[in-house]
């Protein structure tokens, strides 16, 4: 008698980590295991978060403006220049602070791409997550958003996709009408998202005389937030020298109050009187930049007063990322 062939069961193809979308920690894992996400594929995501890239935008044109748009500016866009030019059928690629419905990216009906910057990142490398989203957006069908997922660990970073010689020139907007070509005829969910975003946006203006400095208006007072690329310890020393000498302000009634730490760089913050506009602070900011350059060049040990000023500035730091 002929031998019976052993029965074989075809194995289902197992999804890779990159295929599993990111969901809430307590939600069922999208892989279908029946376990919660945090106990399944979320473990790898949690591990990746611990391997944090401290300066994800280092090496990109306009690193300090990348940090500003990620953490400080409500509504802004930047035209991006890709290495090798734009793919066929993609007329433009635009970085945006945030997109409707918090989409990571959107391929518009005309084929253009909007890439959102202010989104949760699923790994410790924001640049790699953005690059993965951008690549998928370039291949998405026109008229569709791109959903979040965990980027492959060996995937490219934005530094690999963008032209290092390309300009990075943010345009700050008063609202989010740039989301849609015709806001009055937008889909109801997009219109509602647009209304909420516009209501929450803080008026913000980018200074023209210095790099990566943004004036913003709040109900009680105005502020200047200035992202600086200098090494943190040296910058704190320089700010302390100026502060102790009474030369850290930006005019009458202004005060250097502390700093943010974000994505590996320092962001000094000034309080401004409500009457001080962005135009008013342009000249004082340029003059402060000259004083700061002199202070940064000094190698003299800090005096007792300067050490106290440095301690005060250090105690008033807030880490954003």
């Amino acid at each position: 008698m002929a031998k019976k062939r052993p029965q074989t069961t075809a194995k289902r193809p197992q999804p890779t980590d990159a295929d599993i979308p990111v969901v809430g920690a307590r939600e069922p894992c999208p892989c279908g295991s029946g376990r919660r996400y945090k106990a399944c594929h979320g473990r790898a995501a949690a591990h990746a978060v611990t391997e944090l890239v401290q300066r994800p935008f280092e090496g990109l044109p306009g690193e300090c403006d990348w940090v500003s748009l990620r953490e400080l500016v409500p509504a802004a866009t930047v035209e991006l220049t890709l290495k090798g030019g734009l793919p066929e059928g993609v007329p433009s690629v635009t970085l945006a602070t945030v997109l409707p419905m918090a989409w990571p990216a959107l391929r518009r009906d005309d084929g253009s791409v909007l890439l959102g910057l202010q989104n949760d990142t699923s790994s410790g490398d924001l640049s790699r997550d953005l690059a993965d989203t951008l690549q998928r957006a370039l291949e998405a069908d026109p008229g569709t958003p791109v959903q979040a997922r965990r980027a492959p660990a060996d995937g490219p970073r934005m530094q690999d996709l963008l032209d290092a010689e390309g300009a990075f020139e943010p345009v700050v907007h008063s609202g989010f009408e740039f989301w849609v070509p015709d806001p009055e005829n937008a889909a109801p969910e997009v219109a509602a998202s647009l209304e909420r975003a516009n209501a929450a946006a803080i008026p913000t203006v980018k200074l023209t005389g210095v790099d990566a400095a943004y004036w913003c208006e709040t109900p009680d007072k105005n502020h200047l937030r200035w992202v600086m690329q200098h090494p943190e310890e040296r910058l704190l020393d320089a700010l302390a020298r100026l502060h102790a000498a009474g030369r850290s302000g930006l005019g009458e009634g202004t005060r250097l109050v502390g700093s943010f730490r974000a994505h590996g760089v320092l962001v000094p913050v000034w309080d401004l009187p409500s009457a001080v506009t962005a135009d008013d602070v342009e000249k004082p900011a340029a003059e402060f930049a000259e004083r700061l350059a002199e202070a940064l060049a000094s190698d003299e040990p800090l005096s007792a007063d300067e050490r106290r000023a440095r301690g005060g500035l250090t105690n008033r730091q807030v880490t954003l990322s």
Side-chain angles (χ1 to χ4, degrees), residues 236-238 240-241 299-308 310:
L236 283 171
D237 283 351
R241 295 181 196 279
D299 290 322
E300 292 294 321
L302 295 181
S303 67
D305 287 343
E306 290 168 346
R307 288 196 301 273
R308 281 193 291 272
R310 193 186 195 281

Side-chain angles (χ1 to χ4, degrees), residues 230 234 237-238 241 290-300:
H230 311 292
R234 195 167 189 84
D237 283 351
R241 295 181 196 279
E290 295 178 359
R291 298 197 299 273
L292 180 63
E294 294 175 2
L296 284 166
S298 175
D299 290 322
E300 292 294 321

Side-chain angles (χ1 to χ4, degrees), residues 25 42 61 96 98 130 180 194 223:
V98 68
L130 285 168
V180 288
L194 176 61
H223 305 279

Side-chain angles (χ1 to χ4, degrees), residues 18-100:
D19 294 327
I20 305 299
V22 177
V23 297
R26 295 180 177 275
E27 295 182 38
C29 186
C31 74
S33 66
R35 291 181 292 173
R36 289 179 176 177
Y37 178 68
K38 68 176 183 179
C40 193
H41 282 82
R43 287 178 174 174
H47 176 68
V49 168
T50 65
E51 300 173 357
L52 179 66
V53 175
Q54 296 290 341
R55 287 182 65 178
F57 307 122
E58 186 176 16
L60 288 172
E63 177 189 5
C64 291
D65 280 314
W66 278 88
V67 174
S68 300
L69 269 57
R70 167 71 183 185
E71 300 294 342
L72 306 173
V73 180
T77 55
V78 186
E79 295 297 315
L80 299 181
T81 304
L82 304 187
K83 286 182 179 178
L86 295 167
E88 184 177 356
V90 181
S92 64
V93 174
T94 302
L95 181 74
T97 48
V98 68
L99 295 180

